[in-house]
Amino acid sequence: QVQLVESGGGLVQAGGSLRLSCVASGSIFSIQAMGWFRQAPGKQRELVATITSGGTTNYANSVKGRFTLSRDNAKNTMYLQMSSLKPEDTAVYYCNADILRYGRGRYEDYWGQGTQVTVSS
């Protein structure tokens, strides 16, 4: 079994900051790419940022310069530092990871349950 657990969401005023965390646990042999996606009410889920196992990051244009993604491979943990938050950043944020479990022959896609981020104007 593998679990992704997000934390750090909440309510913040526009211009404020939040730090999201995602911890992967279970029978994990290796993790390749990890990333954050978000889904606002009535909208499709969209990519926020991704990070490779080597630390290469990729950001959606809407968050470039405001969000910073990092990971601690030893702890199977990923962090999203969000600054200069805007009301349009309000969404449920989901953690995603490509994980190779012990005894499996391929990487599989896993999702967390999501954490709510609400930015008030």
Side-chain angles (χ1 to χ4, degrees), residues 82-94:
M82 304 186 294
S83 303
S84 302
L85 282 161
K86 304 175 181 179
E88 50 263 45
D89 294 318
T90 295
V92 177
Y93 283 69
Y94 296 92

Side-chain angles (χ1 to χ4, degrees), residues 30-47:
S30 174
I31 302 177
Q32 284 189 327
M34 300 183 78
W36 289 96
F37 290 73
R38 67 187 182 186
Q39 187 166 19
K43 294 189 177 181
Q44 289 189 329
R45 190 173 296 190
E46 63 176 6
L47 172 71

Side-chain angles (χ1 to χ4, degrees), residues 103-115:
R104 296 293 180 102
R106 61 184 177 89
Y107 284 84
E108 295 170 300
D109 198 39
Y110 289 87
W111 291 88
Q113 291 299 307
T115 185

Side-chain angles (χ1 to χ4, degrees), residues 33-97:
M34 300 183 78
W36 289 96
F37 290 73
R38 67 187 182 186
Q39 187 166 19
K43 294 189 177 181
Q44 289 189 329
R45 190 173 296 190
E46 63 176 6
L47 172 71
V48 175
T50 60
I51 185 167
T52 66
S53 57
T56 300
T57 53
N58 178 59
Y59 297 93
N61 288 334
S62 59
V63 307
K64 277 182 183 176
R66 300 188 298 120
F67 290 10
T68 302
L69 185 58
S70 61
R71 64 189 279 178
D72 184 335
N73 291 332
K75 296 181 179 179
N76 289 338
T77 300
M78 174 177 61
Y79 307 98
L80 183 67
Q81 179 66 47
M82 304 186 294
S83 303
S84 302
L85 282 161
K86 304 175 181 179
E88 50 263 45
D89 294 318
T90 295
V92 177
Y93 283 69
Y94 296 92
C95 172
N96 174 260

